[in-house]
Each structure stands twice: as C-alpha cells, then as structure tokens.
C-alpha cells in the first residue's frame, strides 16, 4: 500500500510503498482509510518536537485523525464488523487500568498512539487499531467529511465540554484561533452553551468563517485585541478563554483576556506561559491544560456532527499530494482542515 512516512526530522516525509498492516491480537481492527486529517501536530512531528516524548523508530507512518471502513477484525471483536463505517479514537486504550476504568482514555497506562508513537498512523491506505478505538457511524457518512473530528474535533469538544458548567447565559467565552481546531470549538460552544462567543484571529478569512458558524463578535488579532476583548466585556475580560494558538505570545494574551475568577483553557502548544503568582492569588484565575479527549467525548461529538450541529470545513487532497497539504497548512493556506483521501 501507499503510505506517508517520516524518514528524518526537519525534512519532508516520503510517500512509500509498504506492506499492509496485519492483525496482531484478538481485539485488533484493520481499517481501510477513507480520510486522514492533516494536523499542525504533524508539522511538529516533522520538526522533531515529539521525538523525545514518543521515541518512534524511523521510518514510520504519520496521521492520527482517521476514519474509514472496517476491513478485518480479530477473533475477539464484537462491536464492529467488516464493512462498518467508523471514526477512530486516536489513542487505543486497554480498558483495564485505573485510568480506563475512570473513562480517562488519554491517560491509559498501556495505550499506543498511531501516527505519534512507535505505531504506524493513517496517512495510508490501511491502518491497524483496536476495537476500543472504533466509533461506528451511519453507513451514509463519508469518512473524509468527519476524519479530522477524531483529533481536532475531539480536542476542541473536550475543552468546551469541561467548561460548560461555568458558561451560563450572560457569560462570555473567547476563542483565540479560529483555524482547524478553533472553528470546531466555536460550533461546540454554540451547540452546548448560551454564552456569548467572541473569536480572535489575525486572519480575516478565519473571522469571516467564525461569523458564519456561530461567533457573536469577532476581533482582529492586530496587537490591540486584548483591549478590544476588555471593551466588549465592560473591562472585566472573558469568563473562559480557549487558546487554540498558545505560541508566539498568544498564550500570554489569553491570560490578559481572562476575567477575575475566570478560566484559561490551553489547547494549542509551543509557547511559554508566564504570569505573576499574585495574579493567580488575587484574581483567582485558573489555567487548565487539555489533551485530546475521551472515547465518550468522541461519541457525543459524532451525535452533534450527524445532527448537522458541528460541520468540518475541509480541503481535500489525494494521498499522493500529502506534501502539498502539509506545505499549505504550514503556510496558512488551509481554511478549516486539510484531509488526505487515499
């Protein structure tokens, strides 16, 4: 099969011909990939940012946002069958450790992460995962239309879902960064809460999209955006700021936009957050990290997606054009999410 593989860091991946994956255990599932999302994390992988944390053996196949059709199942699989349309939780988990028993999939003691850890991902024609990672979809669903919900979607939903208890009517939520994750976060906020949604981004096209999908106010990130958010909130700041950027100073801008007793949800990464400890104490502000989400988060998100309440805005590329997709994402030319279609 054809697959996009990293051979060296700080270099473009290559499109190789490799063997198809095989079943290795009774709960394994082989999926024929119908769509693989292209994520900014994939750019970070190519830069070597995840090498120390995941230590994969090179070369390996990237791609951690995947949906498709079940191609083969192990002897112990009962929840899906060959031919089923599925979206895949990005991190298959064991189901037996304490984290799994609590429903905290992302902290499973025995998990693996296709496309990041030492396991091939889904920028290929076929992918090996497990039964626990499969969420069955309506057979009419086109996997390419939903693939990026497997990571970008679940990550945005997970953060919004955690913040729902404090986003009652009359509150304000700021979404900083309306790109691949942020545009999903906006729709999740609109679907789950009655908060006023303010979107901050430096890209006018992203702000235009934000207005179309649920933003009440938009602010251009031109250096005066912190003051603009303060003006929109009577000088107080927002109840919650969802920072989908969190680099190049945006992480500290987010802190300045948070109201006293407010919450900063950090979803993007790459920057360095810094704030005086007195601000934490006197303002009683909270900073909360977010990593992907749980299986139930993904299942709930798919209910919203199949009801038309969360829609991915995508640009599709054939698998052979993977380098074009990665370069377009890096250059800011993708509106919404890039999707590879084998």
């Amino acid at each position: 099969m054809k697959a996009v593989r990293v051979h060296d860091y700080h270099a473009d991946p290559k499109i190789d011909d490799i063997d198809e994956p095989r079943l290795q255990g009774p709960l394994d599932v082989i999926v024929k990939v119908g769509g693989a999302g292209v994520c900014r994390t994939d750019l970070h992988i190519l830069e070597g940012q995840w090498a120390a944390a995941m230590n994969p053996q090179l070369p390996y196949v990237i791609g951690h946002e995947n949906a498709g059709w079940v191609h083969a199942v192990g002897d112990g699989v009962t929840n899906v069958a060959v031919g089923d349309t599925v979206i895949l939780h990005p991190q298959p988990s064991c189901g037996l450790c304490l984290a799994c028993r609590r429903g905290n999939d992302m902290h499973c003691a025995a998990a693996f992460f296709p496309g990041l850890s030492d396991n091939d991902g889904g920028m290929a024609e076929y992918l090996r995962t497990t039964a626990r990672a499969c969420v069955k979809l309506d057979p009419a669903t086109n996997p390419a239309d939903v693939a990026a919900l497997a990571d970008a979607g679940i990550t945005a939903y997970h953060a919004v879902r955690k913040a729902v208890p404090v986003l009652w009517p009359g509150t304000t939520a700021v979404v900083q960064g309306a790109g691949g994750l942020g545009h999903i976060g906006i729709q999740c906020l609109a679907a789950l809460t009655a908060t006023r949604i303010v979107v901050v981004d430096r890209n006018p096209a992203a702000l235009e999209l934000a207005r179309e999908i649920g933003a009440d106010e938009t602010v251009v990130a031109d250096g005066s955006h912190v003051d603009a958010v303060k003006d929109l909130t009577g000088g107080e700041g927002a109840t919650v700021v969802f920072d989908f950027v969190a680099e190049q100073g945006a992480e500290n801008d987010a802190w300045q936009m948070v109201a006293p007793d407010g919450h900063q949800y950090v979803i993007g990464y790459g920057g360095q957050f810094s704030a005086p400890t007195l601000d934490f104490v006197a303002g009683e502000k909270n900073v909360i990290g977010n990593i992907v989400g749980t299986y139930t988060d993904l299942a709930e998100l798919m209910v919203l997606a199949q009801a038309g309440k969360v829609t991915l805005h995508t640009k599709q590329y054939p698998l052979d054009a993977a380098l074009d997709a990665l370069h377009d994402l890096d250059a800011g030319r993708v509106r919404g999410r890039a999707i590879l279609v084998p």
Side-chain angles (χ1 to χ4, degrees):
M1 68 173 184
K2 291 190 179 299
V4 181
R5 295 204 298 174
V6 179
H7 287 257
D8 297 291
Y9 298 120
H10 307 287
D12 283 340
K14 297 179 181 179
I15 300 174
D16 298 328
D17 286 309
I18 63 173
D19 292 338
E20 294 178 10
R22 296 181 178 182
L23 297 170
Q24 297 180 17
L27 296 179
D28 277 0
V29 175
I30 305 297
V31 173
K32 178 177 172 60
V33 178
V38 182
C39 178
R40 190 158 294 277
T41 296
D42 294 312
L43 299 179
H44 296 157
I45 290 170
L46 296 175
E47 293 166 359
Q49 293 188 29
W50 284 89
M54 293 296 187
N55 194 32
Q57 181 178 346
L58 301 180
Y60 80 110
V61 182
I62 55 174
H64 54 278
E65 297 180 337
N66 306 300
W69 303 274
V70 176
H71 179 70
V73 298
D75 293 340
V77 175
T78 59
N79 61 321
V80 292
V82 172
D84 284 346
T85 306
V86 291
I87 188 170
L88 307 179
H89 189 282
Q91 181 175 272
S93 50
C94 72
L96 299 173
C97 68
L98 283 175
C100 283
R101 298 288 191 179
R102 296 181 179 121
N104 197 358
D105 311 57
M106 288 308 299
H107 298 282
C108 170
F112 64 99
F113 209 129
L116 268 85
S117 61
D118 201 11
N119 301 272
D120 284 340
M123 289 190 190
E125 295 178 72
Y126 295 92
L127 165 71
R128 182 182 72 87
T129 183
T130 70
R132 278 183 58 82
C134 296
V135 177
K136 191 156 60 172
L137 303 176
D138 186 316
T141 304
N142 180 355
D145 291 339
V146 299
L149 293 178
D151 180 38
I154 189 177
T155 300
Y157 181 85
H158 180 62
V160 170
R161 187 75 171 78
K162 289 198 295 187
V164 165
V166 299
L167 290 176
W168 50 80
T171 59
T172 296
V174 166
V175 173
Q176 181 165 246
L181 275 75
H183 90 283
I184 302 168
I186 294 163
Q187 294 174 81
C188 292
L189 281 166
L192 297 181
T193 78
T195 192
R196 179 173 61 155
I197 303 168
V198 177
V199 178
V200 177
D201 199 291
R202 62 186 179 187
N203 186 339
L207 294 178
E208 179 183 351
L209 174 61
R211 287 188 289 270
E212 294 172 4
I213 60 178
D216 297 298
E217 305 280 354
T218 59
V219 174
V220 178
D222 59 2
S224 64
H225 47 285
V226 172
D227 290 337
V229 169
K230 291 287 186 69
D231 289 343
L232 287 169
T233 54
E236 285 293 304
T239 311
V240 178
V241 175
F242 297 94
D243 187 5
F244 290 98
V245 182
E247 62 180 347
Q248 299 179 13
E251 63 278 20
N252 295 309
D253 290 344
W255 175 257
Q256 296 300 322
M257 291 187 275
V258 176
D261 197 31
H263 311 268
Q264 178 176 346
Y265 281 76
V266 183
I267 304 108
Y269 64 91
Q272 184 73 39
F273 174 74
S274 176
T277 51
L278 181 58
D279 283 1
F280 282 93
V281 175
E284 290 195 314
K285 294 184 180 183
N286 305 281
V287 178
I288 302 157
N290 299 269
I291 180 70
V292 192
T294 67
Y295 180 94
T296 53
D297 286 331
L298 183 56
E300 291 173 10
L301 176 61
M302 295 315 301
V303 173
L304 293 180
Q306 294 183 138
K309 294 183 178 181
V310 173
T311 303
L312 271 173
H313 293 255
T314 63
K315 181 177 181 180
Q316 294 187 9
Y317 299 76
L319 186 63
D320 286 341
L323 297 187
D324 293 336
L326 289 162
H327 293 161
D328 285 351
L329 175 62
D330 195 27
R333 291 190 291 264
V334 177
R335 188 182 188 214
R337 206 68 170 174
I339 306 293
L340 296 183
V341 182

